Amino acid sequence: MTQTLQTLSGAELAPDTTPVLTVQGLTVSVRTESGLRPLVEDLSFTLHRGETLAIAGESGSGKSITSLAIMGLLPPPAVRVTAGRISLGATDLTALPESALRRVRGDRVAMIFQEPMTSLNPVLTVGMQLAEAIRAHQDVSRTEARSRALQALTAVRLSQPERRMLQFPHELSGGMRQRVMIAMALAMRPEVLIADEPTTAQRSS
Ligand SMILES: Nc1ncnc2c1ncn2[C@@H]1O[C@H](COP(=O)(O)OP(=O)(O)O)[C@@H](O)[C@H]1O
Ligand SMILES: [Mg+2]
């Protein structure tokens, strides 16, 4: 039920007064037959480099919707940001076109989704999809991408990482798949990492 928005690599950096992420007066609404209904209303927070922010709230209170708004992945056309700003450093994400947002996603903000099965490609091995995701955002060779993928799987303490690289998502438990998702998000080396209930499928690992 908790959700964290976390910045990485803060410890070794000098304190910076500009927040990495600023959410100001964020309102997300859904269009219904009787008009716009707010799902998240007037939410504000800032996140500085190296900080971890946890958002706790009951089911349906808008934690996932907030995360999707930051990622620019709200389900169109019914749900959209109707007020407020989301800024990544100096960039106003709510004003970016989809093409630019796609670059921000993964590059600068990564998200570990609540449902790992729907976010992994069932026909690609774990190693291939990790390497592919890394190469989509970083200019590295196939060999380097593979080695970073293995590093990431090791970092999240997945058992037998070498063997997992060659397996398909359905061959792993829910908890292992979630670790793969976490590894993928970490391998992107984002400025902000959003984890939407990342431990809910961890029971079986
Ligand atoms: N695609 C959608 N269309 C309309 N309403 C939605 C959609 N997704 C979520 N909601 C509504 O938005 C509210 C917040 O949901 P959500 O962000 O998933 O809550 P949480 O993650 O805190 O449990 C809920 O009332 C939910 O029913
Ligand atoms: Mg949720």
Side-chain angles (χ1 to χ4, degrees), residues 181-193:
M181 291 307 302
I182 295 169
M184 188 173 298
L186 288 174
M188 301 290 105
R189 302 183 182 178
E191 289 167 48
V192 177
L193 177 62

Side-chain angles (χ1 to χ4, degrees), residues 3 59-60 62-65 114 196-197:
Q3 180 179 54
S59 182
K63 305 181 297 291
S64 294
I65 289 286
Q114 207 168 340
D196 190 4
E197 304 202 36

Side-chain angles (χ1 to χ4, degrees), residues 30 39 58-65 75 79:
V30 61
L39 302 177
E58 60 191 68
S59 182
S61 59
K63 305 181 297 291
S64 294
I65 289 286
V79 183

